[in-house]
Amino acid sequence: MDDLGRNMHDLCQELFPICRSITGDGFRQSLAILNRELPGLRAVEVPTGTKCFDWEVPKEWNIKGAYITDPKGKRICDFNVCNLHVMGYSVPINKTVSLDELQKHLFSLPSQPNAIPYITSYYKERWGFCITHQERKQLKLGEYAVYINSELKEGALTYGELIIPGESKKEIFISTYFCHPSMANNELSGPVVTAFLAKWLVGMKNRKYTYRIIIIPETIGAITYLSRNYKVMKSNIIAGFNVTCVGDDRAYSYLPSRNGNTLSDQVVKHVLKHLQLDFVTYSFLDRGSDERQYCSPGIDLPVCSVMRTKYGCYPEYHTSLDNLELITPTGLLGGFNVLKKSIECLELDETLCATVLCEPQLGKRGLYPTIGTKRRAPEIKNMMNFLAYCDGNSSNLEIAEKINVPLWELTGVIEKLKKESVLTSV
Amino acid sequence: MDDLGRNMHDLCQELFPICRSITGDGFRQSLAILNRELPGLRAVEVPTGTKCFDWEVPKEWNIKGAYITDPKGKRICDFNVCNLHVMGYSVPINKTVSLDELQKHLFSLPSQPNAIPYITSYYKERWGFCITHQERKQLKLGEYAVYINSELKEGALTYGELIIPGESKKEIFISTYFCHPSMANNELSGPVVTAFLAKWLVGMKNRKYTYRIIIIPETIGAITYLSRNYKVMKSNIIAGFNVTCVGDDRAYSYLPSRNGNTLSDQVVKHVLKHLQLDFVTYSFLDRGSDERQYCSPGIDLPVCSVMRTKYGCYPEYHTSLDNLELITPTGLLGGFNVLKKSIECLELDETLCATVLCEPQLGKRGLYPTIGTKRRAPEIKNMMNFLAYCDGNSSNLEIAEKINVPLWELTGVIEKLKKESVLTSV
Amino acid sequence: MDDLGRNMHDLCQELFPICRSITGDGFRQSLAILNRELPGLRAVEVPTGTKCFDWEVPKEWNIKGAYITDPKGKRICDFNVCNLHVMGYSVPINKTVSLDELQKHLFSLPSQPNAIPYITSYYKERWGFCITHQERKQLKLGEYAVYINSELKEGALTYGELIIPGESKKEIFISTYFCHPSMANNELSGPVVTAFLAKWLVGMKNRKYTYRIIIIPETIGAITYLSRNYKVMKSNIIAGFNVTCVGDDRAYSYLPSRNGNTLSDQVVKHVLKHLQLDFVTYSFLDRGSDERQYCSPGIDLPVCSVMRTKYGCYPEYHTSLDNLELITPTGLLGGFNVLKKSIECLELDETLCATVLCEPQLGKRGLYPTIGTKRRAPEIKNMMNFLAYCDGNSSNLEIAEKINVPLWELTGVIEKLKKESVLTSV
C-alpha cells in the first residue's frame, strides 16, 4: 500500500510540468498519460461554439512560450521556467511597453511575496503575466518587451470518460478536473487518485454498480458533459463524488451535496466517522468546484466531496507554492482510501428483510452460543442488532449507522445470515 | 427618523389622559384622534348583546367622575387625578360605608406600595377603587363616602378597521388593542406604532399585499372581529402581527404563533437575527394577548408578536407606573422598525426558479468577474449561493435564511437576476 | 402503600426457593402461587415439539436433586443448598470423574469469587455445575462423584395468561417472565409487581382498555405466545410494557421500543420526567429481554421497558448475589408506581376537540376569575394552555407534554371542560 501512495506521487510528478488549461494540447497530453494506466479511458472532443445550456464551448487555447525582457535585457516571467507566469488564456502579444503599462498586466500577491499566483481570463480576451510580489517590487522604470506565443482558435474542448460496467445499470459517478497547470493538491491529486480508483474498480470482482468516471476541465467541462448526458445521469446515478484536493497530509474534509443527505453524503459521513478520522465538515455554501453544477437546481445529482485540505483553505492554494512537496504519498493514499472505502460501502449496501418472525433460532445454525451466561460477545450483539433492523425498509448502511458499527465489519454477518436464508434481499 | 420616534411619543402623550375601556366614549375619542392621522380608518359599532362565538358584546360603560371622601372630608382616589383609581366597568355608586366595608372594594399592591394597580371587572357587576398600598395603610377608621358617576347601558362595542388594498387580495394582518386607560407601554405604544405603520403603508409604492389593520378592545374585540370576519381572514391572511408593548427601551421579545413556524414567525426571527438585536424568545405558553384568539384551534391564523418588553415581564406592567416616562422615542422607533422590516421582507418574499440548468454564465452579463483568482468577493458568493437554491420550491426568505444573509441585502441581486431572465417567478 | 411494598417483598420471599426453568414443575408451582392472588390467571400448556416460527418448544426439564461428592466424601454444589449450583437443563448424570474432567463442567466467576453464576444450556444437551470461584480454587486432585437427578422428556412449556376486559377491545399489554431459579431483581420482581398491578387493574372502575397480561418463560415463551396470538395482538395492542428488574432501590431505567416513539415510550418518558425521577435512558441496542421478540421486524408491537436497575447493569446480575436483600419493599413499590402511573396516563389519554371557536367564555361558567389583575393563577394558565391545543389532532398526553404539566394534574380540568361541553371527544 505504501507503493500505491508512492506510485500516485510519481504519476503526479510526471504530469506536473505540463501546461494544462480548460482546452488545448496540454489537457490532451495529460489525458494520454492517464490513458496509459487506463486503457478504456476515452478522449472526447467537443467543438468550439457548441451550446451547453447557458454557456458555449470557448475557443481552444495553446501556448508555446512567453516571457518579458526587462530594460537591462534580462528575461523574466519565463513560461519555460514556470507555466504559471502566464495568465491562462492570454492572447498572443509581442510589443514593448513602459513599466506603467506593464503593471496593468501584472498579477502578484502582496501577502505572499514569494508566490506566483494562478490567474485566468477564459471568457474575456486579455494578456497578462503572474509574478512574485518580491520580484515585481524590484522592477525598474524603462521599456519592457512582452512576448506571448499563444494561439486562440476554433478548436475543441477535450474530456476523458470511462464507463466501467457492473451488474446493474445504476451508476456510481466520479468526476475530477484536469485543467490546472503546474499545481499539485489542487489539482493533480484529483485526476491521479481517480485514475488509481478506476484501476482498482476495473479489477473488482462481482462489481454491482456501473461506474461513470469523467476527467474534465472544471466548470465548463462539467456543464458541457451535463448538457450531453444529464438525462441518463439523473436516471442512473445513485451516488457520486467530486474528487479534488486529495493529496496533502493535513486534514480530511467533507463538503455535502446541496440536498445534504443523499446516499453519497451518508456513506462519506459513515466512512469518515468509522475510520475515526478527524475531519472538517464544510457547508454547501463553501462549495467552489463542480458540485456547483452537479447539485444545481434541476440537475440535483447526489454528488458530494470528500477531500484532504479543501481548495481555498490552505495558503498555497492557487499559487506556485501548491507544488509536489505539498502532496505526499501518505496524503494521496489517505484520499484514495476514504474514496475506496466509500465505494466498498456502496457495493455492500442493499436492503434486506428477515424471513422469519421474531428472532431466528441461531443456535441450531451454529451462529449463537448454546450456553447462556452473563454477557454476550460484541460480535453476537452486533449480529442481533443488525437483524433487529432488517425490516425491509432500512438499508445496510442505515442499519450500520443505527447500530454504530462500520458497515465493513458486518460483511461476514450479512453473508452468513443470507446463506442461512434468515435474511433475503428486498 | 428621530422625528418619527418623537412624533410617536407625542401622540402617546395626547392619548394618555383619556379613560378608555373595552367599550364607551373613551375608546371612540381615542380612535377619532388616530383617524386624524389615518383618514381611511373606519369606526365600527357592534351593539350590546350581539353573539360572538361563545361570548356576547357586553353593555357599554362610560364614566364622568369618581372619588372617595374620607372621614376628615378629604377627597381621595379621585378619577380626575388618575383614571386608574376606578376599577374598570365599576357600576355607579353613591353611599357612605365603614372602612371595613370599603376595604372589600379596594385594590392595592403590597409589593409595589407606590403603584395604583389596574383592575377590571367586565363580566360581573361590581364597584371598586384602586389605590397605592402606602395610601391604603394610612386610612383611619370612620365613614367614607364613595361616589362613582358611571353608566352601564345597552350601547355598542367600537373598533377601528383600515383595509389598505394591494396588488394581491392576499393580506397581511396587523392587530392592536386600545382598551386600557392611562398606561403607556401596555398599551398606548401598540395603537400608536400601528398608526404610523399604517401611514407608511398607505404611502408605499407597488404594495404587493393588502393590509388589514384593526384597532380593537382586547379579547372581546378580537373575538367580535373574528366572529364577523374569520372566514375571509382564514382564506386571505398569509402573515399577521399582534402589536403590543412596543414602546420601552429595555428589550426585544418574540412570542411565536401556536404553530410556531408560520411565515410570520419565520420573518420575525429572520429580522431580529439579522438586525443583530438581542431578543428574548417566549413560548406560546407565555401568551396573554389577542394571539389567544387568533391562534385558537379552528381559527389558526399565522399571527405572532414581536415586542419590546413583554406584558407581564416588567414591574410597572398594569399599574400607574407604566407611564409616559417608561416609553421613549427610541423605544417606539425600535418597535416600529422591527415591524417595518418584517413587512418589507414579506413584500420582498416570493418563490423564484432558475430558467437555465447549471449555473448561468454571468460573466457575459457583466455580473461575474472575468478574471479567475484565489477568492470570490462576498457579494458574488451571496449571489451564487442565492441562485443555487432557486429551485422553485424555496421562498426568498427561506433561501436568505439558508445562506445566512439578510433578505434585504439580496434585493439588488434578485432584481438583476430577474431582469437578466436568469430567474423567474413561480 | 408501605404495606404494598412489604407484601410484594413477602411474595418474592415465598417464591424465591423454587427452582424454575423455561419448562417444568417449578414454573407451574410458581404460577399456582400467583394464581392464589389472581384467580383469573390461566395456566396454558404447549406441548414439546410445537413449532413456533423458527423455533420449537423444547423438552420439559425437571430436577429433584444434584450434588458433587469430593475426594474426601464431602458434598459440594448441593442443589438443595442453592439451585443455581446446577446448570439449567443439565441432563441426568451419575458417575465418577477426575478433577480435570470435572473442571470442563464447572462454571465460576474469577472476578466475583463469592458468587455462584447462573448458567443454562437449553438447546444443547450438557451437564454442569456452578460454583463460587473461591471454592473452585480449593478443589484438590482426586475422584469426584457427580450426581444430577434430572429428567428431560416430552412434556410442555407452561405460561400464565390473564385477560382483564375493558370498555374497549383495544389492549394494554403487560409481559413478564418467570423462568429464573432463585434470583430476585432479575427476575422475581417482574412477576410479583405484575401480579400486584393485575390485582389493582381487576379492581379499577370504568376500565377503558382491555389488559393482556402474560407470565412466560423468557425468549421461547415470548416466541411461543406470539406465534399463537400475534395477529390479534398487532391489531389490538396500543401500548405494552415488558416488566423486569423492578425491585431494587438504586435507579430507574427506560429502554425504548425499536420504534422509539410509540405511545408506550411517550407515556413512560412523561411519567419518569414528571415524577421527577432521575432515570437512565438506554438504547434499544442495549435490549436483552422479551422486547427482542415484541419489537422484531414484522411483529413491531409498541412495547418498551421501564425498570429499576437494568439487567446486565448491576454486579449481582445473573448470580447468587441477586438475592432477597438486593430487592426492597421501597424498590418494588417504586417499580410498581411508575407502571401504575403509566397505565393511569393511558387510561386518561384521549383526543379532545374544542366545541367553540376562540377561547370559551369561562367566567360565566365559574371557571375563570371575573376580576382582571396583573397575574393569572397557575391552574388557570394550565387550563387555558390545555384548551389552546385541543384541536382534535393532539392527544391529552401530547398536550400535557407540550404545556409541560403532568397529565394527572389535568384530570380535574379535563372533567370540568368536558362537563361544560367546551370540549368533546373526537
Side-chain angles (χ1 to χ4, degrees), chain C residues 5-36:
Chain C
R6 171 55 53 203
N7 293 344
M8 289 192 286
H9 200 275
D10 288 349
L11 186 54
C12 288
Q13 206 155 357
E14 181 179 358
L15 290 160
F16 192 76
I18 302 170
C19 180
R20 283 163 295 273
S21 186
I22 56 170
T23 61
D25 291 331
F27 195 101
R28 289 190 190 92
Q29 188 184 341
S30 301
L31 213 53
I33 291 172
L34 294 194
N35 202 36
R36 194 183 63 204

Tab-separated table of all heavy atoms in Angstrom, chain C residues 5-36:
chain	number	residue	atom	x	y	z
C	5	GLY	N	-45.518	-2.434	49.356
C	5	GLY	CA	-44.120	-2.805	49.137
C	5	GLY	C	-43.752	-4.044	49.951
C	5	GLY	O	-43.127	-4.984	49.446
C	6	ARG	N	-44.171	-4.049	51.191
C	6	ARG	CA	-43.880	-5.178	52.081
C	6	ARG	C	-44.534	-6.465	51.561
C	6	ARG	O	-43.915	-7.523	51.503
C	6	ARG	CB	-44.361	-4.798	53.498
C	6	ARG	CG	-44.378	-5.872	54.569
C	6	ARG	CD	-43.064	-6.588	54.786
C	6	ARG	NE	-41.923	-5.725	55.028
C	6	ARG	CZ	-40.646	-6.090	54.806
C	6	ARG	NH1	-40.370	-7.307	54.331
C	6	ARG	NH2	-39.658	-5.262	55.036
C	7	ASN	N	-45.795	-6.346	51.131
C	7	ASN	CA	-46.500	-7.521	50.615
C	7	ASN	C	-45.817	-8.080	49.372
C	7	ASN	O	-45.737	-9.294	49.184
C	7	ASN	CB	-47.959	-7.176	50.272
C	7	ASN	CG	-48.755	-6.839	51.519
C	7	ASN	OD1	-48.328	-7.141	52.645
C	7	ASN	ND2	-49.903	-6.186	51.344
C	8	MET	N	-45.344	-7.189	48.535
C	8	MET	CA	-44.658	-7.659	47.323
C	8	MET	C	-43.364	-8.376	47.711
C	8	MET	O	-43.029	-9.429	47.160
C	8	MET	CB	-44.395	-6.499	46.355
C	8	MET	CG	-45.695	-5.993	45.707
C	8	MET	SD	-45.448	-4.871	44.302
C	8	MET	CE	-44.938	-3.392	45.164
C	9	HIS	N	-42.646	-7.793	48.674
C	9	HIS	CA	-41.397	-8.438	49.091
C	9	HIS	C	-41.676	-9.809	49.714
C	9	HIS	O	-40.935	-10.786	49.479
C	9	HIS	CB	-40.635	-7.537	50.066
C	9	HIS	CG	-39.177	-7.888	50.167
C	9	HIS	ND1	-38.697	-8.863	51.015
C	9	HIS	CD2	-38.089	-7.422	49.496
C	9	HIS	CE1	-37.387	-8.958	50.881
C	9	HIS	NE2	-36.988	-8.094	49.956
C	10	ASP	N	-42.754	-9.895	50.496
C	10	ASP	CA	-43.112	-11.188	51.101
C	10	ASP	C	-43.385	-12.246	50.033
C	10	ASP	O	-42.961	-13.397	50.156
C	10	ASP	CB	-44.367	-11.033	51.990
C	10	ASP	CG	-44.054	-10.279	53.274
C	10	ASP	OD1	-42.846	-10.075	53.575
C	10	ASP	OD2	-45.003	-9.866	53.970
C	11	LEU	N	-44.080	-11.827	48.976
C	11	LEU	CA	-44.385	-12.781	47.913
C	11	LEU	C	-43.103	-13.233	47.190
C	11	LEU	O	-42.946	-14.411	46.850
C	11	LEU	CB	-45.381	-12.162	46.926
C	11	LEU	CG	-45.911	-13.084	45.822
C	11	LEU	CD1	-46.523	-14.371	46.375
C	11	LEU	CD2	-46.925	-12.348	44.942
C	12	CYS	N	-42.191	-12.307	47.014
C	12	CYS	CA	-40.881	-12.678	46.435
C	12	CYS	C	-40.215	-13.745	47.312
C	12	CYS	O	-39.653	-14.724	46.809
C	12	CYS	CB	-39.953	-11.472	46.344
C	12	CYS	SG	-40.428	-10.286	45.069
C	13	GLN	N	-40.304	-13.516	48.614
C	13	GLN	CA	-39.668	-14.438	49.551
C	13	GLN	C	-40.260	-15.847	49.436
C	13	GLN	O	-39.538	-16.833	49.445
C	13	GLN	CB	-39.867	-13.883	50.966
C	13	GLN	CG	-38.812	-14.329	51.926
C	13	GLN	CD	-38.671	-13.328	53.092
C	13	GLN	OE1	-39.334	-12.288	53.115
C	13	GLN	NE2	-37.808	-13.655	54.029
C	14	GLU	N	-41.574	-15.893	49.285
C	14	GLU	CA	-42.234	-17.185	49.158
C	14	GLU	C	-41.807	-17.907	47.871
C	14	GLU	O	-41.613	-19.121	47.850
C	14	GLU	CB	-43.759	-16.978	49.172
C	14	GLU	CG	-44.526	-18.282	49.076
C	14	GLU	CD	-46.054	-18.082	49.118
C	14	GLU	OE1	-46.502	-16.911	49.261
C	14	GLU	OE2	-46.779	-19.087	48.995
C	15	LEU	N	-41.647	-17.131	46.807
C	15	LEU	CA	-41.330	-17.723	45.506
C	15	LEU	C	-39.846	-18.050	45.345
C	15	LEU	O	-39.464	-18.888	44.511
C	15	LEU	CB	-41.738	-16.756	44.385
C	15	LEU	CG	-43.243	-16.568	44.180
C	15	LEU	CD1	-43.526	-15.275	43.414
C	15	LEU	CD2	-43.839	-17.767	43.428
C	16	PHE	N	-39.017	-17.375	46.146
C	16	PHE	CA	-37.572	-17.434	45.933
C	16	PHE	C	-36.982	-18.849	45.857
C	16	PHE	O	-36.218	-19.155	44.948
C	16	PHE	CB	-36.854	-16.603	47.005
C	16	PHE	CG	-35.404	-16.354	46.709
C	16	PHE	CD1	-35.029	-15.403	45.762
C	16	PHE	CD2	-34.403	-17.067	47.359
C	16	PHE	CE1	-33.680	-15.160	45.484
C	16	PHE	CE2	-33.060	-16.838	47.074
C	16	PHE	CZ	-32.704	-15.876	46.138
C	17	PRO	N	-37.323	-19.759	46.781
C	17	PRO	CA	-36.617	-21.050	46.798
C	17	PRO	C	-36.933	-21.985	45.631
C	17	PRO	O	-36.176	-22.921	45.380
C	17	PRO	CB	-37.112	-21.702	48.109
C	17	PRO	CG	-37.780	-20.615	48.888
C	17	PRO	CD	-38.272	-19.621	47.902
C	18	ILE	N	-38.033	-21.734	44.933
C	18	ILE	CA	-38.455	-22.676	43.896
C	18	ILE	C	-37.479	-22.679	42.720
C	18	ILE	O	-37.053	-21.631	42.255
C	18	ILE	CB	-39.877	-22.302	43.405
C	18	ILE	CG1	-40.849	-22.318	44.588
C	18	ILE	CG2	-40.335	-23.246	42.285
C	18	ILE	CD1	-42.211	-21.731	44.264
C	19	CYS	N	-37.167	-23.870	42.195
C	19	CYS	CA	-36.269	-23.959	41.037
C	19	CYS	C	-37.086	-23.914	39.744
C	19	CYS	O	-37.599	-24.910	39.269
C	19	CYS	CB	-35.453	-25.254	41.076
C	19	CYS	SG	-34.337	-25.345	39.644
C	20	ARG	N	-37.181	-22.694	39.215
C	20	ARG	CA	-37.888	-22.525	37.943
C	20	ARG	C	-36.928	-22.723	36.763
C	20	ARG	O	-35.713	-22.563	36.902
C	20	ARG	CB	-38.475	-21.108	37.851
C	20	ARG	CG	-39.744	-20.881	38.660
C	20	ARG	CD	-40.005	-19.406	38.847
C	20	ARG	NE	-38.940	-18.821	39.648
C	20	ARG	CZ	-38.931	-18.792	40.977
C	20	ARG	NH1	-39.936	-19.277	41.683
C	20	ARG	NH2	-37.901	-18.259	41.632
C	21	SER	N	-37.511	-23.047	35.626
C	21	SER	CA	-36.749	-23.006	34.374
C	21	SER	C	-37.749	-22.665	33.265
C	21	SER	O	-38.890	-22.276	33.568
C	21	SER	CB	-36.040	-24.335	34.123
C	21	SER	OG	-35.212	-24.189	32.970
C	22	ILE	N	-37.318	-22.777	32.012
C	22	ILE	CA	-38.231	-22.375	30.938
C	22	ILE	C	-39.383	-23.370	30.765
C	22	ILE	O	-40.371	-23.067	30.091
C	22	ILE	CB	-37.492	-22.151	29.595
C	22	ILE	CG1	-36.692	-23.380	29.174
C	22	ILE	CG2	-36.589	-20.947	29.687
C	22	ILE	CD1	-36.151	-23.297	27.738
C	23	THR	N	-39.238	-24.543	31.360
C	23	THR	CA	-40.347	-25.503	31.403
C	23	THR	C	-40.281	-26.198	32.756
C	23	THR	O	-39.315	-26.025	33.507
C	23	THR	CB	-40.221	-26.597	30.319
C	23	THR	OG1	-38.991	-27.298	30.568
C	23	THR	CG2	-40.197	-26.034	28.912
C	24	GLY	N	-41.316	-26.958	33.052
C	24	GLY	CA	-41.228	-27.838	34.221
C	24	GLY	C	-42.086	-27.426	35.399
C	24	GLY	O	-42.768	-26.400	35.396
C	25	ASP	N	-41.997	-28.263	36.425
C	25	ASP	CA	-42.890	-28.116	37.570
C	25	ASP	C	-42.594	-26.880	38.408
C	25	ASP	O	-43.489	-26.343	39.056
C	25	ASP	CB	-42.818	-29.389	38.430
C	25	ASP	CG	-43.438	-30.580	37.697
C	25	ASP	OD1	-44.362	-30.330	36.863
C	25	ASP	OD2	-43.001	-31.713	37.916
C	26	GLY	N	-41.342	-26.433	38.420
C	26	GLY	CA	-41.020	-25.216	39.171
C	26	GLY	C	-41.815	-24.036	38.636
C	26	GLY	O	-42.337	-23.215	39.395
C	27	PHE	N	-41.917	-23.948	37.322
C	27	PHE	CA	-42.691	-22.873	36.698
C	27	PHE	C	-44.173	-23.016	37.069
C	27	PHE	O	-44.821	-22.049	37.478
C	27	PHE	CB	-42.512	-22.912	35.181
C	27	PHE	CG	-42.963	-21.660	34.485
C	27	PHE	CD1	-42.034	-20.715	34.065
C	27	PHE	CD2	-44.315	-21.414	34.260
C	27	PHE	CE1	-42.450	-19.544	33.425
C	27	PHE	CE2	-44.733	-20.247	33.633
C	27	PHE	CZ	-43.796	-19.318	33.213
C	28	ARG	N	-44.687	-24.253	36.975
C	28	ARG	CA	-46.107	-24.492	37.289
C	28	ARG	C	-46.423	-24.130	38.734
C	28	ARG	O	-47.428	-23.497	39.040
C	28	ARG	CB	-46.461	-25.959	37.054
C	28	ARG	CG	-46.507	-26.340	35.581
C	28	ARG	CD	-47.099	-27.724	35.361
C	28	ARG	NE	-46.893	-28.114	33.961
C	28	ARG	CZ	-45.848	-28.808	33.516
C	28	ARG	NH1	-44.916	-29.226	34.358
C	28	ARG	NH2	-45.747	-29.081	32.229
C	29	GLN	N	-45.532	-24.557	39.628
C	29	GLN	CA	-45.730	-24.310	41.063
C	29	GLN	C	-45.719	-22.803	41.361
C	29	GLN	O	-46.538	-22.292	42.132
C	29	GLN	CB	-44.580	-25.017	41.790
C	29	GLN	CG	-44.684	-25.055	43.281
C	29	GLN	CD	-43.405	-25.697	43.883
C	29	GLN	OE1	-42.653	-26.405	43.201
C	29	GLN	NE2	-43.173	-25.432	45.156
C	30	SER	N	-44.826	-22.085	40.706
C	30	SER	CA	-44.737	-20.634	40.910
C	30	SER	C	-46.006	-19.950	40.413
C	30	SER	O	-46.545	-19.038	41.037
C	30	SER	CB	-43.517	-20.080	40.166
C	30	SER	OG	-42.339	-20.695	40.642
C	31	LEU	N	-46.475	-20.389	39.254
C	31	LEU	CA	-47.694	-19.817	38.671
C	31	LEU	C	-48.881	-20.071	39.600
C	31	LEU	O	-49.750	-19.199	39.763
C	31	LEU	CB	-47.929	-20.471	37.305
C	31	LEU	CG	-48.557	-19.643	36.201
C	31	LEU	CD1	-47.814	-18.337	35.991
C	31	LEU	CD2	-48.535	-20.448	34.889
C	32	ALA	N	-48.898	-21.259	40.231
C	32	ALA	CA	-50.008	-21.592	41.141
C	32	ALA	C	-50.043	-20.631	42.329
C	32	ALA	O	-51.113	-20.244	42.798
C	32	ALA	CB	-49.868	-23.033	41.626
C	33	ILE	N	-48.874	-20.229	42.789
C	33	ILE	CA	-48.831	-19.261	43.901
C	33	ILE	C	-49.418	-17.928	43.459
C	33	ILE	O	-50.192	-17.301	44.166
C	33	ILE	CB	-47.391	-19.132	44.430
C	33	ILE	CG1	-46.989	-20.442	45.138
C	33	ILE	CG2	-47.256	-17.948	45.377
C	33	ILE	CD1	-45.535	-20.524	45.548
C	34	LEU	N	-49.081	-17.487	42.253
C	34	LEU	CA	-49.659	-16.224	41.753
C	34	LEU	C	-51.164	-16.370	41.539
C	34	LEU	O	-51.931	-15.425	41.730
C	34	LEU	CB	-49.010	-15.793	40.436
C	34	LEU	CG	-47.533	-15.401	40.457
C	34	LEU	CD1	-47.177	-14.681	39.159
C	34	LEU	CD2	-47.212	-14.506	41.642
C	35	ASN	N	-51.573	-17.547	41.140
C	35	ASN	CA	-52.982	-17.824	40.901
C	35	ASN	C	-53.816	-17.568	42.161
C	35	ASN	O	-54.965	-17.142	42.090
C	35	ASN	CB	-53.130	-19.280	40.448
C	35	ASN	CG	-54.416	-19.509	39.683
C	35	ASN	OD1	-54.847	-18.634	38.948
C	35	ASN	ND2	-55.027	-20.665	39.859
C	36	ARG	N	-53.232	-17.830	43.302
C	36	ARG	CA	-53.881	-17.586	44.601
C	36	ARG	C	-54.251	-16.106	44.718
C	36	ARG	O	-55.321	-15.745	45.191
C	36	ARG	CB	-52.866	-17.966	45.676
C	36	ARG	CG	-53.385	-18.121	47.063
C	36	ARG	CD	-52.209	-18.426	47.989
C	36	ARG	NE	-51.278	-17.295	48.010
C	36	ARG	CZ	-49.972	-17.372	48.330
C	36	ARG	NH1	-49.414	-18.531	48.646
C	36	ARG	NH2	-49.229	-16.305	48.326
